[in-house]
Each structure stands twice: as structure tokens, then as C-alpha cells.
Amino acid sequence: MKNHSLATLGRFRRKRTLGRVWESMIPKFLLACALVSVLTTLGIVGTLLKETISFFTKVSLFDYITGTKWTALFNEAQQSFGVLPLIAGTLLVTGIAALVAIPIGLASAIYLSEYANPKVRKVVKPILEVLAGVPTIVYGFFALTFITPLLRTILPDMGVFNAVSAGIVVGIMIIPLIASLSEDAMSAVPRSIREAAYAMGCTKLEVALKVVVPAALSGIIASFVLGLSRAIGETMIVTIAAGATPRMTLDPTDSIQTMTSFIVQAATGDHSFGSIAYGAIYAVGMTLFIFTLLMNLLAQYISRRFKEEY
Amino acid sequence: MMSQATMSRYVIQVENLDVFYGEKQALDKIQMSIEENTVVALIGPSGCGKSTFLRALNRMNDMIPSVRINGAITMHDENIYDKSIDVEMLRKEVGMVFQAPNPFPKSIYDNVAYGPRVHGEKNRKVLDEIVERSLRQAALWDEVKDRLKDRATGLSGGQQQRLCIARTLAVEPEIILMDEPTSALDPISTAKIEELIQELKRKFTIIIVTHNMQQAARISDRTAFFLSGELVEEDQTDHLFSNPHDQRTEDYITGRFG
């Protein structure tokens, strides 16, 4: 032990080299990258808040929330800022989309997770996920030039712009999202639980509906909520196919306007900076943001609160 | 038709059973008869085919896409591999308990009531009775009677396994298959399950796969030794352990391999 030479002492002492400096810079650089998106989000919310507050100094918040007439882009004498028609239009389209996407998305997920053999699943699931990447403007055109004419063969009196066509296509757009996320949730249910049910004499359908779906319910519902949150925020399809007529209606064959398509209409028009119509864009944007934020929080809450432990 | 008197006491008769997974043969010409109200232990080293044999008895192997099965397994004079057999009805009669406890993520009550509900029982009173009877049979009633609405996943491992046994009993099977039911449990829970198996033997026929030869010796009436897909020897348990006929059986039970 005594023979340890001085040279070996300090063998583990840290040496300052260029490599080491570089190494210590990396985390700072990565942090900066992460901060970009956080700061951008904060910036957006800040701008939204500032403009929204300034809008509500000119228009009463109460009238905005309870008003049933939206004529923001009319001349000042006729302007009315009741947001309910836009919310009604948004919810109508979202409701139709839910009717289309939830059953089809869930059925696809059950098929992929419980029935499809692994080879089929390996091919179909990526295709489904690619569908989620189709630009929404393409879907919008599909609604206007294919679905609407198709529907008009059944309902000849229906206008060219209508909520149902847009709603159906928004639904089609979110099917892959719902199917893929639900399938993930169902595939995460352990095989041992399925085997237990089969061993008791359950059919495949009983195993799927009474064991797998309930066990994966938190993930499935979260996928619905996320899908509908996408539907609420969807812009191009409704702008192209649903019309631009703010209207309090539950009739899906009517032309309507959603919050998003109003923003497109107003933002592409020539409204001077600082005008009330210009401010309305931000107020509606804020409303929309609150809607989707609440939906996303709801999805997170559901998947945490009802998470199953197997 | 045979008269009642000449019908065998055998609940299960296995004739020339071959099981293949793809090209690989997992079981080779198995012949075995199992009497009612007995406990039969299946022993042998890993990969010897004992679990495959167990799963052939309730056709759980069917779910593996590449599986191919020859031969016959007769229960009550019916070949369970006949085309006319309703697999769900078969599995209702041949219950199964698995290696690791696998309760459903539901309440204790709903776990036990699950099978009867699926098979059409809706009456609340009848279900209550089935749940209580099954939990008593599984020696779990006293531990859980005050918390039937609690989640099953909150029970200890040993309790979960007894719950899984109760869940199996609730559909009133005739035969219970157990695939290493105590391998994930501590010694005290294991002792409880072994005790339970002795109780259940009075009403059910039990076929149990085990890696533990002491366990086989303690609880079974007959023992079957499998090796490389072959049924080497099947005999009364005390005979097989004290006086094996085949050298390979002797080598295995004396710990020379496996």
C-alpha cells in the first residue's frame, strides 16, 4: 500500500478540457430550445389576453356571452357581438363529427386490437395514422365537392354550404386519431385478463366489449375528448364547406359559421388595426382557446382519474 | 349407446394427442385418462409440454394462430375437438386458473359475478348467492365480505389468486385447470391454496401444472411426468415418487436434471 507513487495520486481529479466545457454547455442549449416553445405559448396567450381585454372595454362582456346575434363585420351602426351563434355553429359541427367519429373510431380500434391478425394490424395501423396527416384543406374540398353533392341527391333542397357536410368530414378527419389512441389503450390491457375471460367461456365479442373496453375506458374516453377538441379547433373544412352565416340553429342542413371560420373570414378581410371587428378576432380566438384548453384538461383528468391498474 | 353402468369414471380421456406450433411438435401421441374428483399434477422441466397439454383440455391453444392439433380428447363421450363443439360451452365446464393472479380491473363482487352475468344471469339475488358461495368455496369470504365493492386489484397476491379461483368456481365448472397457480405467491398464500385444492377435490376434478415436486407430492392423487413433449410416466403420486418405472422419471425427481 505504501508503494503508491505520487504520480498515481490525483488520477481521478477533474481536468478542464474543451470537451468538458462543451459537455456543460449542452444542457443549457437544450433548455433554451425547450424554452422557445414555452415562451411562444406565453406570448400568444399574452397577446390574446391584451387584445381581448381591449375588445371588452368597447363591447360588454355580458352582451358578448349572452347575445344571439353576431354581425361583427357589418358597418358600425349594425354591429352586434353576441358570440352564441358562433358557439352554436361550432358545437353543431362538433356534434355531427362526434356522431361520425366515435362509433367508427371505436369500432376500428376494437377491430384492430381484438380481431385483426398481427399482419393486418401492421399494415392498417400505419395507414390509419397517415390519414391523420392529410392536409385539412383537402378534406375541406372533399366535403364541398363530394359529400355535399352526395347529400344533395338525398336532400335536394339543402344549400351548397351546410353544417352536416362539414361535420361529417370533420368526423372523418378525427377517426384516425380516435381509432389510433383507443387502440393503444386497448392493446395496453394485459393478455392475461383476456385469457381469464376466454377461459370462463366468453366469446370474442364479450371479451372485447365487457373486458377490454371497460379496462381501457380511461384511454378511450380521453381519445374521444382529444378528437373532439381537434374538431372544435378545425378550421379549413368548416371555412370551405359550412358557409359563413352566423346563426342560432340546430338544423344541420343550414349554412352556419363556426368560431374558427369567423376568424378566417375576419382576418382575411380588410379591417383596420384597432377597429372593433379586428378586436373581435381576438375575443373569439380567446373563446376558442378556452374551449380547447378545457377539453384537453378534461382529457388529462379523465385519463389520470380513471387509470386502471392491472 | 353404452349403458350407464359400463360408462367409465373417467371424465377426460386423451387419445393420441399431438400438438404442433408451426413446424415444432410440442406434444407427441399423448395417452391419458383422468378420473373424476381427483387431483392430477403435471410435472416436468420447462418446455416439456405440460402447459400445452393443460391448455389443450380447454382449447386455449386454439387462440395461437399457428397451432395444429391431432388426436382426440373425450369428455362425456364427446370429442372436444369435434367440429360441432361449442368452445364457449366447453370452457364454461373446464375452468382455468392462471400462473399470475389476473383479476379484472373491477370490484371484488363484479369479478366473481362476471362469468354468471356473461352467461345470462341477471337476477341480483341469485348473483349475490353465487358470489357468496364461490367466495366461501375459495376460502376468501371472511376476508372480503365487508368490502365486496372494493377494487380487486387492491387485494394481496394470495387473495387475488383465491379471487380468481372463486371467479372460476362461479360458472360452476366440472373440471378446473391450474397453471402453476402458486408460482407467484409467498409460502403462506401457497399453503392456503394447497389446502383449498384439497377441499375443492370433493366437488371438482383438478389438473394442476406445477414446477414444485414437493407440491405435486403433497396435493395430488396422480402425477404425470412430461419430457420433451412426451408423457413419460403417469401413476399414483406416491408410486411415481417412491418407485418410478422409467429411468428418466427417476432422474428428474431425484434432481439429476430439470
Side-chain angles (χ1 to χ4, degrees):
Chain A
M1 297 299 275
K2 279 179 196 165
N3 286 343
H4 272 263
S5 70
L6 279 172
T8 60
L9 281 177
R11 199 159 36 141
F12 301 121
R13 192 161 301 152
R14 188 197 283 262
K15 294 181 191 69
R16 272 194 90 75
T17 63
L18 197 61
R20 223 170 261 292
V21 174
W22 177 237
E23 189 76 18
S24 70
M25 301 260 293
I26 291 284
K28 285 170 193 147
F29 171 70
L30 294 177
L31 176 67
C33 291
L35 281 180
V36 168
S37 77
V38 174
L39 291 177
T40 311
T41 311
L42 287 178
I44 290 172
V45 175
T47 317
L48 211 51
L49 259 176
K50 180 172 152 276
E51 297 291 340
T52 304
I53 290 166
S54 114
F55 173 76
F56 284 119
T57 57
K58 295 167 203 152
V59 174
S60 129
L61 178 62
F62 182 79
D63 290 348
Y64 176 78
I65 292 174
T66 57
T68 56
K69 196 161 164 242
W70 183 265
T71 51
L73 304 182
F74 286 20
N75 62 44
E76 279 197 29
Q78 289 170 302
Q79 265 176 338
S80 172
F81 295 97
V83 81
L84 287 179
L86 295 184
I87 292 180
T90 301
L91 293 184
L92 183 60
V93 168
T94 306
I96 295 165
L99 288 179
V100 172
I102 288 180
I104 298 180
L106 186 58
S108 317
I110 291 175
Y111 171 74
L112 282 177
S113 150
E114 304 304 308
Y115 287 87
N117 73 43
K119 277 184 207 152
V120 174
R121 179 169 36 225
K122 255 188 208 141
V123 177
V124 174
K125 207 174 172 205
I127 293 178
L128 208 62
E129 277 158 6
V130 166
L131 267 182
V134 173
T136 55
I137 186 112
V138 177
Y139 279 115
F141 242 85
F142 175 66
L144 188 66
T145 60
F146 182 76
I147 299 289
T148 300
L150 193 70
L151 291 172
R152 294 225 297 177
T153 60
I154 308 163
L155 302 161
D157 297 338
M158 193 171 67
V160 173
F161 299 107
N162 58 76
V164 63
S165 172
I168 289 172
V169 175
V170 171
I172 292 171
M173 178 195 79
I174 60 175
I175 286 171
L177 179 78
I178 290 181
S180 178
L181 290 178
S182 295
E183 202 268 337
D184 289 343
M186 288 162 70
S187 296
V189 175
R191 204 174 62 115
S192 66
I193 291 181
R194 291 186 177 82
E195 285 198 322
Y198 281 121
M200 259 187 289
C202 294
T203 62
K204 212 156 197 176
L205 189 65
E206 284 162 348
V207 173
L209 295 183
K210 293 181 183 164
V211 176
V212 179
V213 169
L217 200 60
S218 69
I220 291 172
I221 292 177
S223 84
F224 293 168
V225 179
L226 281 179
L228 295 187
S229 157
R230 277 284 304 277
I232 289 176
E234 169 45 36
T235 306
M236 284 324 298
I237 298 171
V238 288
T239 303
I240 292 178
T245 325
R247 186 183 290 172
M248 293 289 284
T249 179
L250 283 175
D251 180 355
T253 61
D254 273 346
S255 161
I256 50 105
Q257 188 167 45
T258 66
M259 291 188 271
T260 50
S261 54
F262 164 75
I263 294 174
V264 171
Q265 191 192 13
T268 51
D270 49 350
H271 306 284
S272 58
F273 178 80
S275 68
I276 305 185
Y278 176 83
I281 295 174
Y282 288 94
V284 173
M286 191 69 188
T287 313
L288 186 61
F289 176 69
I290 290 171
F291 264 83
T292 51
L293 183 71
L294 287 178
M295 294 285 278
N296 287 342
L297 289 178
L298 182 66
Q300 276 190 17
Y301 170 77
I302 289 170
S303 60
R304 274 196 212 134
R305 171 72 181 73
F306 300 101
K307 188 132 203 113
E308 296 293 355
E309 282 162 33
Y310 306 115
Chain B
M1 289 304 288
M2 276 188 288
S3 70
Q4 284 289 331
T6 59
M7 267 175 65
S8 64
R9 307 170 290 147
Y10 294 124
V11 274
I12 301 173
Q13 283 180 300
V14 180
E15 286 156 68
N16 283 324
L17 181 74
D18 290 331
V19 177
F20 296 87
Y21 296 126
E23 290 303 303
K24 191 184 168 293
Q25 186 160 15
L27 286 178
D28 188 6
K29 297 266 176 301
I30 305 296
Q31 302 271 6
M32 188 150 118
S33 299
I34 295 170
E35 281 178 47
E36 60 184 0
N37 298 91
T38 53
V39 177
V40 179
L42 311 179
I43 61 168
S46 300
C48 68
K50 57 193 190 301
S51 284
T52 297
F53 178 73
L54 194 76
R55 284 165 178 256
L57 298 175
N58 65 346
R59 292 187 57 172
M60 288 291 275
N61 288 329
D62 292 16
M63 278 182 278
I64 301 162
S66 65
V67 81
R68 195 156 55 81
I69 295 159
N70 301 326
I73 297 179
T74 310
M75 289 182 193
H76 298 295
D77 296 323
E78 270 184 301
N79 179 4
I80 64 167
Y81 281 96
D82 195 89
K83 279 202 186 78
S84 64
I85 290 292
D86 179 343
V87 181
E88 280 78 36
M89 286 308 292
L90 169 74
R91 293 194 185 131
K92 192 173 169 297
E93 292 302 320
V94 187
M96 189 165 194
V97 177
F98 296 82
Q99 192 166 355
N102 53 356
F104 299 130
K106 297 171 188 275
S107 72
I108 295 170
Y109 184 99
D110 288 340
N111 260 278
V112 183
Y114 180 83
R117 276 181 180 145
V118 164
H119 294 297
E121 185 56 67
K122 289 196 180 75
N123 186 320
R124 181 80 203 188
K125 252 185 98 179
V126 177
L127 285 172
D128 285 351
E129 281 166 19
I130 293 174
V131 169
E132 178 170 348
R133 191 198 66 224
S134 308
L135 285 169
R136 279 188 193 282
Q137 280 182 321
L140 189 61
W141 175 252
D142 290 332
E143 289 162 61
V144 300
K145 64 182 176 204
D146 301 321
R147 46 174 175 148
L148 293 173
K149 296 280 158 236
D150 286 8
R151 298 190 72 73
T153 39
L155 296 173
S156 75
Q159 288 173 325
Q160 286 189 16
Q161 193 62 305
R162 276 179 284 148
L163 178 68
C164 293
I165 292 174
R167 183 176 63 182
T168 303
L169 298 178
V171 292
E172 299 182 53
E174 192 181 339
I175 296 158
I176 302 172
L177 310 177
M178 297 188 172
D179 192 357
E180 298 184 44
T182 61
S183 66
L185 304 182
D186 63 78
I188 293 170
S189 305
T190 299
K192 279 190 182 154
I193 302 249
E194 289 185 3
E195 208 178 303
L196 177 59
I197 289 171
Q198 295 307 312
E199 278 298 312
L200 293 175
K201 190 175 100 171
R202 297 188 201 166
K203 290 187 74 174
F204 307 93
T205 305
I206 296 169
I207 301 154
I208 179 170
V209 167
T210 177
H211 259 299
N212 179 332
M213 278 180 279
Q214 285 76 28
Q215 181 171 63
R218 278 195 300 267
I219 63 173
S220 69
D221 302 301
R222 295 184 74 87
T223 297
F225 171 58
F226 285 78
L227 187 64
S228 313
E230 225 184 295
L231 174 56
V232 174
E233 191 167 348
E234 194 265 334
D235 204 345
Q236 276 189 313
T237 297
D238 45 355
H239 288 184
L240 186 124
F241 279 101
S242 60
N243 191 14
H245 290 287
D246 196 290
Q247 186 60 40
R248 289 169 294 175
T249 314
E250 185 169 346
D251 289 349
Y252 183 70
I253 61 178
T254 54
R256 241 164 272 174
F257 71 93

